[in-house]
Amino acid sequence: MAYDCIIIGGGLSGLTCGIKCAEDGLRTAVISSGMNSLHFSSGSIDVFGYRQGGGKVYRPFDYMKETAKSNPAHPYSRIGSRMVRESLEFFNDQISLAGISLHDNGDENHFRITGLGVMKPTYFSQDSVFNDKFKKAVEERASIAVLNFDGYRDYYAELTVSQLRKNPIFKRTGIITGKVTLPFYTRTEKNLHEFRSIDLARVFDTEKYLPRIAEEIKRAARGARVVSLPAFIGIDNFAQIHKRLEDLTGCLIYEIPSLPPSILGLRLDNALRSRFAALGGEYSGGDRVNGGEIMDGELDHIHTENYGDTRHRSRFYVMSTGSFFSAGLRSGFNMLDEPVLGLRFSGSNRRSDWYSAKFFDRKGHPFLKYGVETNKYFNPFGSDGKAVKNLFCTGAMLSGYDPIREGSGGGVAISTGYFAAKRIIGEMKKNK
Amino acid sequence: MIKLENISFDHCIKCTVCTIYCPVARVTHLFPGPKQSGPDAERLRIKNPGLVDESLKYCTNCKRCEIACPSDVRIADIIQDAKWKYVKKGFFRPRDFFMSRTDLAGSLGTIFSPLANFLFSFFPVKILMDLFLKIPYKRSYPAYERGTFRRKFKKLAARQKTFEKKAVYFHGCYVNYNNHSLGTDLVRVMNAMGVGVELVREKCCGVPLIANGYLEKAKKNALFNISSLSGAAAGKGLKIISTSSSCTYALKHEYSHLLDMDNTGIYNSIEYVTKFIFDRFEEGARPPLRPVSIRAAYHSPCHLERLGGVMYTIDLLKKIPGLDLIILHSECCGISGTYGFKREYYQISQDVGYQLFRRIEEADPEIVITDCETCRMQIEMNTKYRVMHPVSVLAMALGDER
Amino acid sequence: MERYETQAVVIGGGATGAGTLRDLSLRGIKSILIEKDDIASGTTGRNHGLLHSGARYAVKDLESARECISENRILKKIARHCIEDTGGLFVTLPEDDPVYHNELLEGCKISDINAREISIKEALRLEPNLNHNILSAIWVPDGTIDPFRLAASNILDAKEHGAGILTHTMVTGLELKSGGNIVRAADEKGNQIEIRCDLVINAAGVWGQHVCSLGGIELKMFPSKGSMLIIDYRINNIVVNRCRKPSDGDIIVPGDTVSLIGTTSREIDYSRIEELRVDDDEIDVLLEDGEKLIPNVSKTRALRAYCGVRPLVAISGETMGRNISRGIVLIDHSERDGAEGLITIAGGKLMTYRLMAEMTADLACSKLGTGGRCRTAKTPLPGSEKKISERKNVRAFTGISQSVVGSTLYRHGLRVQDILKRDKKNYRLICECEMVTEGEAEYAIKKLDVKNIIDLRRRTRIGMGPCQGELCAYRSAGLFADFGIYRPEKSIELLYNFLEERWKGIKPVLWGDGLRESEFTYWIYEGLLGIGEIKFDDDPGDGDGV
Ligand SMILES: Cc1cc2nc3c(=O)[nH]c(=O)nc-3n(C[C@H](O)[C@H](O)[C@H](O)COP(=O)(O)OP(=O)(O)OC[C@H]3O[C@@H](n4cnc5c(N)ncnc54)[C@H](O)[C@@H]3O)c2cc1C
Ligand SMILES: Cc1cc2nc3c(=O)[nH]c(=O)nc-3n(C[C@H](O)[C@H](O)[C@H](O)COP(=O)(O)OP(=O)(O)OC[C@H]3O[C@@H](n4cnc5c(N)ncnc54)[C@H](O)[C@@H]3O)c2cc1C
Ligand code: SF4
Ligand code: SF4
């Protein structure tokens, strides 16, 4: 057997699982066909943000315990809040080994500021998005400058501020908006329309413009103590860049996520992939798993698009191919399925059941809850109705929860991935 | 009827992740990036071919965008296709003609190899080439060997018959004209795993022809190769292996995607060499390996990334005892076949590769390992390091048994 | 209360109203147009934009056929940038009655429509995606027409000739008395407006029944709903008609960057015209029949579905949607109802708007006793003054991407000169699918009566491409705040309304890549930005199709 574990889909869930397996010395490979949804996310990890009937969750682990009985099919209920917590700590450790420090409030959520000035509950945020200094500064009613860059279309400071001002927390805080002009922005250049977060992040990454940008920030901030920028202050060296900018400007500098591509998410993805590689994991990014064979309740082999008939074999398999968005689930004209292995699917086949009448309906959309059904160990069911014992499904492809309405996408991805890794490690030990 | 395989742009959900990973968009604003040149513009070009924006010519066809795309959009194919379908091309382009005929240039070069190698490294000649052919004088050209690999192989052919297991080797132009030792290394490695090597009649895989817009000629070559390979290999259930990631990619994907050729007969048989070795090793045919105590940095070529084959090369290298392996951050070297040899793209090509060169220098290995012949040229030209193919490194580990 | 005085008030900013306003203005009659929503937000913006050759009517309705071909020829000259001279095909499928083919050719001959039978090979060359099993094909001079541009450039010209326009203003009362009529209206904020005028022109399409009733006059409309489906890209470059008696799903029309499959026809009750929706089984029918004309079309991405109501006036007692004549109905209410100052213009087609306007303005002039002769058959619309050379224009803007110049030119004709100035704005794309720059958005917002993002979409195609507003919606909202048009709070509300409006057309075709796209958009706006948590004062408004 070539591998101990092949993971299909290298997203937040698959990579967390892969890191845990590789750390334990398992021979692990990830096969992924495209970039994962971290690239579009806020870069914050939501664990549990909203209550079932509406209202915010302040203590996510307590809420998990509270709802475990009434909602037994929820991935969290199957894992248990203790292990969810353990998985998040593991994740935090790994990410910090890769040089990113995450903020959390222990048992509690914190609130990140969105581009529209809404305060959204979340569990982990990068230090440049939220930290204790920020909390303190807000409590002290330090003045805030919400800034944007000239020519950048994917963020508008005025929109953020208009809602912030309505928020009681910022009632008596002085908030201004302003624009930073990049040193080279005076040139009109063809194709400047590709002026995205990624292009700006690279400007920061080159570092040579930093002193001038800092000057510009200081000018635009007009003496404010706290400055927010759209989230692209560097990719690889962002921690140093962030610190240097704070030193150069004398302001506290924060990032507010803008439209995708998400630099905050890209950092996490880079961190996860570099951890996985450092622990000896093998990653293949250019291929898609397009089938496999389940025999007697075990996945025997899989094959991929680029290798045709060739069979890839492993003792255990994990599928974390994401939701519809990442093509882990598939919808057609009056049909829904899991496209790779045809695993048992939970969801209605009638198209009109999939959505709510309003786009921003408070109840969300039913299709977001659809996904693969599993037993309590996250083993899915094959077409014969039997659980596939050496295959685990994790992350966004799972049914039974609504990542957006509940604010639980990141937490479920991490904890289910971690859970699967622990099961696999346990089984491997038993078999030895 | 709508051909579904030709409308992969229809799946694009405008997530822009391809543009993040495009090495060209990173270094120049002249290129608006894969999303815009690919799926976005394709809709417009279908509406009105006049809407084509020539900036798409900056795409190097490295395929990194396709690796990144979560929607299976064949972005690079779309751009390549559009390049020749919608943009007007000059009638006679001597440089492109010359560059795309690697086999022609190769057979001439190998006949007159000392002269050719001397001329191509002679400064005044380079200046002339820069002036008339728009080939930047700073470029150095691959040296030609004397004679061809096929000739050399004749001496080895007899022994190959003694093996029960066999595989067909598609050597490609580079091995045939510029690097015989890679070919002989391959034969040694295969033999050590108990596999005999066969050659069949082949023509240039067509990559440079496609890149320079000689699609009809490329189609002819493709047809020739498909029939030759399917008769000799696929028909007999033999694997077809290649030591060039770009040749592999062309045989496997570009023949059908860009040239509209039916290659289903050979599709399942084609394998890049390290995957073949991986499988043989798994089957237990792993020859004893001597330690190769070298500090090496591995660079993964774009087309091998696209094939999903990098993990097999890395796996192979990890199995070589003593090899102190540094895996370089996966990024494009910038040369992209003939692209970097053209004056108008030279600077972009260098800028794309800059980070890679810097990282190699930081790692300061004894050798660099990579699977692709043009990556090798680019790295050798821009750094002081010698570059080797993984198969040659493996051959080193086999020791001398000649 | 705002008060105005003018000679004529036109109610309804569809093609008919816009055309009438322009015609009156060119004749020197002072007029104001009132539209309850936006220009082309009614039936004008909810059809398939076919520039009929008349062939479709040549078998049963020669009058319409003749009107069509004559207007077809006129519009190709005066509205170049709103029209594409694609040509059209009538193809007979194996299951179709072959007799219709000859009847059609015959009818075209009588109506002076230049139709000709072509070989199947030729048909397939013209449209390679066409079903290869067709039995015969006829080429006809069909074309396509962009209703948004058509209506907007009529309005633009009228304004440049002194007309006034009030959009997002609803007529709420009519006082029809000789010696001065009063039109009462209210805008969205509830401001009351009163206009005193000599003449009221009811060009409110299917809502004409309601407008008449405001003046105490009974006029029965006969609403028939038609649904259409938009495909992600242009699957055909020539109009494809099925050569059979008019029925559901018998046409595929290319329109700018997309193609449309049309249409169904269903009787509906007048009371339901405000709450129209596309039914799931209509989608089934359209895809099934579309597949017969262009195989595999059902496997491409459907972007959205929408429906419109045919504004047919039930003069006689007919009850079947397609059999009622689509003829033009011009009513002088002085004869019919003793209302001296009211004219109703209804029926007809999008592409006969000019003729309808001419007839209306003729009547208006004779009633008012002033005004000159109609000039609209000769005077080109703004943007179409000269033949447009793409090559020349592309060259004039070197530095800007060719696809941007070409797309802007396509949308605004020669007015591209006012838009694509050498300014950074024009290097910044707001909508990446349809290549709309910040400069174009600014021009539309400031010059073309754009009041919200939905309107902006009609003027520029923002949000009409495959992503249906995923990124451009946010960017556009920002622009409204940036240009100082609205407070930022209001801009966010526009954004919310826009996305809700888009959803109406997306949800009937929510599967496959469209569903993926929607999941993404939902993540961005709800997950990333948290727009759902913002409380607005008013409810999202109504929106529409295309
Ligand atoms: C746009 C967006 C924004 C989000 N924002 C947030 C946020 O801000 N906070 C939060 O907590 N959560 C967020 N989420 C929720 C998100 O679902 C989870 O946080 C998490 O990223 C999901 O991880 P995953 O590994 O399960 O799936 P994904 O990250 O979707 O990864 C699946 C991977 O599998 C690959 N794949 C699919 N099919 C195959 C195949 N057949 N063969 C090989 N590979 C395959 C895909 O290409 C992809 O790379 C967001 C989700 C989306 C879609
Ligand atoms: C499914 C379908 C397909 C069609 N296809 C074609 C085609 O391919 N080619 C073609 O030429 N024709 C076609 N037509 C016909 C064409 O769409 C209509 O004939 C034409 O658009 C009618 O335009 P209008 O201006 O008269 O009406 P409308 O566009 O409906 O304009 C009336 C306007 O009045 C406004 N209004 C209503 N009440 C008030 C009030 N109280 N105060 C202020 N304003 C008010 C409305 O908001 C509306 O904007 C099609 C129609 C349908 C239904
Ligand atoms: S193939 Fe390479 S250069 Fe071309 S668009 Fe894709 S990533 Fe960019
Ligand atoms: S990565 Fe794929 S889906 Fe995303 S924008 Fe590029 S082509 Fe479209």
Side-chain angles (χ1 to χ4, degrees), chain B residues 109-172:
Chain B
T110 45
I111 297 172
F112 307 107
S113 64
L115 180 66
N117 293 342
F118 167 74
L119 275 180
F120 286 165
S121 57
F122 188 49
F123 191 69
V125 173
K126 288 182 138 191
I127 292 284
L128 284 176
M129 289 179 53
D130 192 331
L131 279 178
F132 293 109
L133 292 176
K134 301 196 170 59
I135 300 174
Y137 68 88
K138 290 183 206 146
R139 277 273 171 240
S140 40
Y141 309 100
Y144 289 110
E145 299 231 22
R146 197 171 206 137
T148 63
F149 168 70
R150 294 184 80 88
R151 283 256 307 277
K152 224 168 240 173
F153 181 78
K154 286 195 180 127
K155 286 197 207 109
L156 307 167
R159 182 160 176 235
Q160 304 308 314
K161 301 224 166 64
T162 62
F163 293 95
E164 202 179 306
K165 260 192 154 7
K166 291 209 174 56
V168 169
Y169 179 35
F170 185 90
H171 51 69

Side-chain angles (χ1 to χ4, degrees), chain A residues 50 112 114 120 151 153-154 156 185 189-190 193 196 323-325 331 333 351 355-357 359-360, chain C residues 284 399 424 427-429 432 474-475 500 503 507-508 510 512 516 519 522 526-530 532-533:
Chain A
Y50 300 90
R112 70 172 174 90
T114 77
K120 276 194 89 99
R153 314 145 296 171
D154 290 345
Y156 288 94
Y185 188 66
E189 248 181 303
K190 194 177 179 186
H193 42 258
R196 299 179 195 277
S323 61
F324 297 99
F325 174 80
S331 69
F333 188 65
R351 210 166 70 239
Y355 52 83
S356 294
F359 195 47
F360 298 114
Chain C
D284 300 356
K424 271 200 285 287
Y427 300 79
R428 273 205 294 271
L429 284 183
E432 298 168 34
Y474 174 82
R475 292 175 185 159
E500 279 296 355
W503 185 240
K507 65 190 178 190
L510 191 73
R516 297 178 57 230
E519 184 181 345
Y522 191 58
E526 185 69 75
L528 184 68
L529 295 168
E533 287 177 44

